[in-house]
């Protein structure tokens, strides 16, 4: 495994290099803000980000060494968590707002026109505020995102031969990224006790992000069922795959 | 790998050695 021969510092450098570019909506949200207009903008953006996410995953050291089936499975399980963590990272400097893209920054009120969205919006704002309090560093952020990817599903494909090897690789990749996170935290100049506390606080936020992602999937599924917004291609495929895994 | 899996866009993008951004 390539990640096994990299030092934590080298691994973080590679993960930072893998970061996707900023994604722009490239057009104004239609006014007035209606449920359909906002959802159309959010799903357009998600579609673009998903394509970048695949490139990102392929650049994370070790990912392409997994079986293709496991690569597919991991991404299908974690895509909304990865999108949401990216959203939180971008929104850290915009208290009370969510920066979906540099040209789409929404306040709670603007998001409230979408039925059922306020609850998710508030949870996203709360998690973002927590990252703000913790003064999340970029090195820590990229490690958390890679951890989400490799930790997205324990139940990978069959447990025989090549597939078993792939699952063992996922566990080793998780260990490598965890070591990288520990290294990133150690740079902050905290005491041993404070470093352990910070590590725990950061990792505990991942369970909130998983919860948020599940809420978001349910919400998007509901929007699809109500025909509020048409979903196409990759986003539709990722939503359907998540619903299938969930069921 | 099932036929259904092979037809997935995600599957194709992961397998392609060129950037998925170029394909999108």
């Amino acid at each position: 495994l390539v990640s096994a021969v990299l030092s934590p510092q080298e691994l973080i450098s590679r993960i930072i290099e893998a970061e996707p570019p900023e994604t722009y909506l490239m057009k104004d949200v239609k006014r007035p803000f209606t449920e359909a207009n906002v959802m159309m903008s959010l799903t357009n953006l998600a579609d673009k980000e998903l394509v970048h996410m695949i490139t990102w995953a392929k650049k994370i050291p070790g990912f392409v060494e997994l079986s293709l089936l496991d690569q597919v499975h991991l991404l299908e399980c974690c895509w909304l968590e990865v999108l949401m963590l990216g959203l939180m990272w971008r929104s850290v400097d915009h208290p009370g707002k969510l920066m979906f893209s540099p040209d789409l920054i929404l306040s709670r009120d603007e998001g409230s026109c979408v039925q059922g969205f306020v609850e998710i919006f508030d949870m996203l704002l709360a998690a973002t505020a927590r990252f703000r309090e913790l003064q999340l560093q970029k090195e820590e952020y990229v490690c958390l995102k890679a951890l989400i990817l490799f930790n997205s599903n324990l139940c990978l494909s069959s447990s025989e031969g090549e597939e078993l090897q792939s699952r063992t690789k996922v566990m080793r990749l998780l260990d490598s990224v965890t070591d990288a996170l520990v290294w990133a935290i150690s740079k902050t100049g905290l005491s041993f006790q404070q470093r352990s506390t910070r590590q725990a606080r950061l990792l505990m936020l991942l369970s909130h992000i998983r919860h948020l992602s599940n809420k978001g999937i349910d919400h998007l599924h509901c929007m699809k069922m109500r025909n509020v917004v048409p979903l196409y291609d990759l986003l539709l495929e990722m939503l359907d795959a998540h619903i299938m895994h969930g069921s | 790998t099932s036929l259904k899996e092979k037809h997935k866009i995600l599957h194709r993008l992961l397998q392609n050695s060129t950037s998925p951004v170029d394909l999108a």
Side-chain angles (χ1 to χ4, degrees):
Chain A
L1 263 180
V2 66
S3 69
V5 297
L6 297 174
S7 68
Q9 190 173 3
E10 287 167 336
L11 181 56
I12 287 186
S13 296
R14 296 275 297 273
I15 300 177
I16 287 178
E17 283 168 21
E19 271 295 279
E22 274 189 320
T23 308
Y24 287 80
L25 187 60
M26 301 292 276
K27 54 188 170 194
D28 292 332
V29 185
K30 282 185 190 163
R31 306 280 176 152
F33 278 164
T34 63
E35 185 174 55
N37 290 343
V38 170
M39 281 310 295
M40 182 70 85
S41 298
L42 294 180
T43 51
N44 275 344
L45 204 53
D47 245 335
K48 292 183 189 181
E49 281 197 81
L50 280 173
V51 177
H52 288 303
M53 190 190 297
I54 296 166
T55 313
W56 162 78
K58 287 168 81 171
K59 289 182 185 168
I60 303 285
F63 183 78
V64 293
E65 295 172 52
L66 304 175
S67 74
L68 190 59
L69 206 57
D70 284 348
Q71 292 177 35
V72 168
H73 201 158
L74 288 175
L75 279 166
E76 283 177 348
C77 290
C78 78
W79 65 272
L80 192 52
E81 288 178 78
V82 172
L83 288 187
M84 284 177 159
L85 180 55
L87 171 65
M88 291 171 198
W89 173 249
R90 289 192 297 274
S91 308
V92 156
D93 294 329
H94 301 268
K97 294 189 172 185
L98 292 177
M99 184 176 175
F100 290 94
S101 69
D103 53 355
L104 182 61
I105 303 174
L106 296 182
S107 67
R108 185 179 186 275
D109 282 350
E110 288 164 334
S112 66
C113 63
V114 179
Q115 191 182 323
F117 197 43
V118 169
E119 185 196 2
I120 297 172
F121 209 98
D122 284 344
M123 290 165 72
L124 284 165
L125 286 176
T128 306
R130 184 72 183 127
F131 279 129
R132 190 178 304 119
E133 284 165 21
L134 289 168
Q135 298 184 348
L136 181 69
Q137 301 299 300
K138 182 158 189 176
E139 287 86 351
E140 296 168 331
Y141 157 68
V142 296
C143 287
L144 289 179
K145 212 161 56 161
L147 284 175
I148 285 175
L149 174 66
F150 293 127
N151 193 44
S152 62
N153 202 324
L154 269 178
C155 311
L156 291 174
S157 44
S158 73
S159 307
E160 294 167 15
E162 190 190 337
E163 299 302 338
L164 180 60
Q165 278 182 11
S166 183
R167 197 162 62 178
T168 309
K169 282 179 189 169
V170 173
M171 292 301 137
R172 287 170 59 188
L173 287 168
L174 265 176
D175 289 344
S176 300
V177 182
T178 306
D179 287 346
L181 177 65
V182 169
W183 179 84
I185 293 172
S186 73
K187 282 202 335 173
T188 52
L190 299 170
S191 69
F192 178 77
Q193 178 63 46
Q194 288 170 324
R195 290 199 304 253
S196 302
T197 305
R198 183 173 182 80
Q199 188 186 338
R201 284 173 174 169
L202 292 177
L203 292 176
M204 280 189 284
L205 274 162
L206 296 188
S207 70
H208 291 282
I209 296 173
R210 174 70 64 98
H211 180 60
L212 257 168
S213 163
N214 288 336
K215 288 260 182 199
I217 293 285
D218 288 346
H219 183 263
L220 189 57
H221 185 57
C222 181
M223 292 283 122
K224 181 190 157 194
M225 291 293 116
R226 284 179 50 215
N227 289 317
V228 172
V229 63
L231 300 180
Y232 304 103
D233 304 335
L234 191 53
L235 180 59
L236 178 62
E237 187 182 284
M238 298 298 259
L239 176 67
D240 286 345
H242 207 294
I243 298 286
M244 192 190 72
H245 291 313
S247 63
Chain B
T1 309
S2 71
L3 203 60
K4 191 179 166 196
E5 287 282 338
K6 282 180 183 165
H7 279 107
K8 283 184 175 178
I9 302 166
L10 174 60
H11 208 276
R12 288 207 317 270
L13 293 179
L14 281 168
Q15 270 193 309
N16 204 300
S17 57
T18 58
S19 164
V21 178
D22 299 333
L23 294 169

